[in-house]
Amino acid sequence: MKLKRLAAGLVLVLGLGMACAAFAQTAMKISISTAQNSHQGVAIDTFAKEVAARTNGRYKIETFYNGSLGGERESIEAVQLGTQELAFSSTGPVPNFVPETKILDVPFLFRDKAHARAVLDGPIGQDLLTKFDAKGFKALAWAENGFRHMTNSKRDIKAPEDLKGLKMRTMENPVHIAAYKGLGIITTPMAFPEVFTALQQGTVDGQENPLSVIMSAKFAQVQKHLSLTGHVYSPCIFLMNKAAFDKLSAADKTAFLEAAKVAVKANRDRVDQDDANGVKELRAQGMTVIENVDKAKFVSTLAPVNAEFEKQFGKANIDKIRNFK
């Protein structure tokens, strides 16, 4: 009888232990400002799946889309404060937190996506990731938003003079704002979740974003003209609250970092896919697309602004990025 009671007790203890193990799951939030069906959605969905697999389900990444937890700047602030564990953001508002990253937003800095990815994945980009530590973040990896293009509701943009007087939404980024003012644009900094309505109501004439964003945000519904200016390469970044990362075991830290790498690959693949199909899809949705933009004229028009950027960031630092192979 005693043996039976002992066996029953062991079964109960084991059962409770297994139940506790099953529910020993830590939930963490990650957010984006764009739709789930986007290059950013692919990034955080892949990350969530990889973290769960690599930690045997001990960590659950809860994903939020369309700015439901706030715009990019608000989400980054929440991560810095520790009220949100993770965020995936373009670099738009990032220089407000980590000024060293401003250099990445200099117009016409990168030759193409391969060049940009090589810089971010190489020593320059990896060194920049370390600058986040002192600001309360753990930067897990650079990802991609893509090359930014201009849309508006007024006219075709073929050369810089076509931009004069256009009221354009810009990211809350000091480098972008300075450059666009140099092109004669009336800049209107605005958080991304507000942009569609502002375009729809005519508060602004246009905006600029990669094809992936233009498509996922359905801007073709409120914008007629698209010009493939490719004026700025826009990275994205996985950010985690530093204290939350530091609490992870060594194995779990590796799991989160490796999950981010896999997510970056999925994110970049989606950008490539959107870039390949975007023009055709947006034309089918009624947009006029200008592919032959006078980029040399854009570069020359921005010469005075670029001279200021060289003073601010150091010409050698800019050249180091421009000439990276």
Side-chain angles (χ1 to χ4, degrees), residues 33 44 87 122 311:
S33 288
I44 67 169
K311 287 180 191 173

Side-chain angles (χ1 to χ4, degrees), residues 103 106-107 109 175 299 302-320 322:
I103 194 169
V106 170
L109 179 65
V175 175
V299 172
L302 285 171
V305 181
N306 279 325
E308 289 302 312
F309 289 152
E310 287 179 358
K311 287 180 191 173
Q312 185 178 348
F313 306 124
K315 186 176 184 302
N317 292 326
I318 291 177
D319 287 345
K320 189 176 178 183
R322 284 196 201 280

Side-chain angles (χ1 to χ4, degrees), residues 180-253:
Y180 304 156
K181 283 181 178 177
L183 292 171
I185 292 169
I186 300 169
T187 57
T188 308
M190 186 184 298
F192 186 77
E194 302 167 28
V195 177
F196 187 93
T197 302
L199 294 169
Q200 190 175 42
Q201 295 178 347
T203 308
V204 290
D205 302 316
Q207 62 83 52
E208 44 82 56
N209 257 304
L211 291 179
S212 294
V213 176
I214 294 167
M215 294 161 72
S216 65
K218 305 188 187 308
F219 284 152
Q221 294 179 9
V222 288
Q223 297 276 270
K224 173 68 176 171
H225 307 278
L226 165 64
S227 294
L228 302 186
T229 47
H231 50 281
V232 170
Y233 173 80
S234 179
C236 277
I237 192 165
F238 275 104
L239 291 176
M240 186 168 180
N241 174 264
K242 180 75 162 55
F245 182 81
D246 288 344
K247 285 178 188 172
L248 298 175
S249 68
D252 287 340
K253 285 176 182 174

